[in-house]
Amino acid sequence: MDVFVHEFIEQYNVVDPPTHFRSAREFVDICVLEQRIEMLMDLARVLTTAPTDSVDSPEAWVKRAEPLLTHLENNLALIPSVDLAKLVFEVLHLRTISALPFKTPLSHRFRRVASMLASEQSTKDLKRIFQLYKSEDSYFELLAVLLHELILRGVQCEGIPLFEEQLLALKERDHPLAYLPGQLLDIEIGVEEYLPRYSLSSTSWARPYRDEWDEAETLDLDPTLKLEAQERTPEFDARLVHAVSLWESSQSENTEIGCYQSNLVLSKAAITPELLQSIPLKSFDMAAVKLQALEAHQVFALLFGAASQTGSNSQSFMGPYGRLAVWKSLAALVDCPDKAPMSDIEAQLSKCHCFELYAEVDYFEKAARSLSILCLRPDGRSLVFFVAQDGPAGLI
């Protein structure tokens, strides 16, 4: 790639190129820091258009060009500047109209860059971006994701005409993100803690905090208690585990789901490891299980971390689509219809008793990530749970 940069400088008659760069990425870094807008745009055009006289096939060109193009987009998004933010929109558009077979899906780049822009650019500058591109269809999806990234970071759309206009446009087009409101619900507040933190050289994530396992006083198991397995539909299963549907477990069949009906009305204190030993779970021995009670916001945080953060296979829904995936899973968990109002799902969840299951066994200890949630629904008889893992621990 270093040879490519030198060829670029010579072929495009670059006047006064940056000096002292040791690699292609460093060349980009210097150009971005010095805000050489025209040079960066020329470079992006070259990266997204394989020359006709090149000996490389389109696939070979992409292998050389895509890493540098991605590095360019990331740097433009992460350095606070309205001019650089405008440029990353233009560069992404070049990727959109390019005939080259880029490996990374456009949707993934839109979500990643939108997250970076919302994290590092000022709301004032991003308003200017919305004003500039709001009427252009080619930028509609990018603006949609960017708006909801801002909402996840606590920006209130009410009272900001540009943002209210974008929310209305989402509804008019029946866009998937139109389901999400322009502000966070009570159980979502604090979700920004689990969004990525960016620097020019790395990305980090905070995982939802797990409290120390308490030994809460529980009721003795009623000898007359019986749990009967309930039939499930494939549609219900898909909804319930939607938040982790991009995990490796979705392919390796390491996700377990259970729906049980009790012959007795159960209280929160009745949910004990002894009770769960009557459930034939394959993931681990129920004799080793621990239970941790969860508040509603903790249930949301665990699911949001699972849906939005990169796991062992580097796939995730990212922020807004992760939020959407969580509400789909929550609706199934608490027995609400798909696309029920979020306020209804939140109200139903507040009446449930939820727990995290855990056991010091290989299923959990040797997984990159694991998630296990048990829900006692408000009727006191219906128990629903799912357990999932994402890849071996060595892939973290």
Side-chain angles (χ1 to χ4, degrees), residues 104-287:
T104 304
L106 272 172
S107 59
H108 181 87
R109 288 308 301 154
F110 285 167
R111 296 177 194 186
R112 178 69 67 181
V113 171
S115 176
M116 292 177 172
L117 286 167
S119 174
E120 302 303 320
Q121 305 291 333
S122 71
T123 304
K124 177 182 177 181
D125 284 346
L126 290 178
K127 287 180 185 177
R128 296 173 65 184
I129 296 297
F130 274 86
Q131 184 65 51
L132 184 63
Y133 294 111
K134 65 178 182 177
S135 300
E136 300 188 35
D137 281 349
S138 56
Y139 297 109
F140 186 82
E141 176 65 17
L142 182 55
L143 288 175
V145 181
L146 177 56
L147 176 63
H148 278 280
E149 283 285 353
L150 290 171
I151 292 169
L152 284 170
R153 288 164 173 80
V155 173
Q156 295 283 337
C157 292
E158 186 176 353
I160 303 178
L162 275 171
F163 294 167
E164 291 180 334
E165 183 181 336
Q166 183 68 28
L167 287 174
L168 180 60
L170 290 173
K171 292 185 181 298
E172 290 174 346
R173 297 194 186 197
D174 197 24
H175 190 280
L177 294 181
Y179 175 74
L180 301 173
Q183 68 282 326
L184 296 177
L185 273 64
D186 287 346
I187 69 168
E188 297 176 307
I189 294 174
V191 73
E192 65 271 13
E193 296 179 18
Y194 309 120
L195 296 171
R197 275 76 165 173
Y198 297 105
S199 73
L200 291 175
S201 59
S202 65
T203 302
S204 62
W205 301 82
R207 298 292 172 84
Y209 178 73
R210 174 184 282 158
D211 292 328
E212 292 294 326
W213 295 95
D214 58 19
E215 299 295 335
E217 184 176 348
T218 57
L219 298 177
D220 292 333
L221 188 63
D222 189 322
T224 65
L225 177 64
K226 294 182 180 179
L227 296 178
E228 181 180 351
Q230 302 295 294
E231 290 188 7
R232 311 188 316 269
T233 65
E235 186 268 344
F236 170 80
D237 286 0
R239 290 174 57 212
L240 183 64
V241 301
H242 190 64
V244 296
S245 59
L246 297 184
W247 283 16
E248 282 191 346
S249 58
S250 63
Q251 292 93 39
S252 62
E253 300 182 353
N254 283 340
T255 299
E256 285 200 65
I257 301 171
C259 293
Y260 287 84
Q261 191 75 12
S262 169
N263 64 324
L264 303 177
V265 175
L266 302 174
S267 66
K268 178 180 179 180
I271 307 302
T272 65
E274 290 73 23
L275 170 67
L276 299 183
Q277 287 179 30
S278 60
I279 297 176
L281 195 65
K282 298 177 182 178
S283 303
F284 56 93
D285 183 358
M286 275 297 196

Side-chain angles (χ1 to χ4, degrees), residues 23 28 43-44 83 91 117 140 181 187 205 265 277 287 302 316 343 347:
S23 68
V28 167
L43 177 61
D83 290 331
V91 172
L117 286 167
F140 186 82
I187 69 168
W205 301 82
V265 175
Q277 287 179 30
L302 285 172
S316 73
S343 57

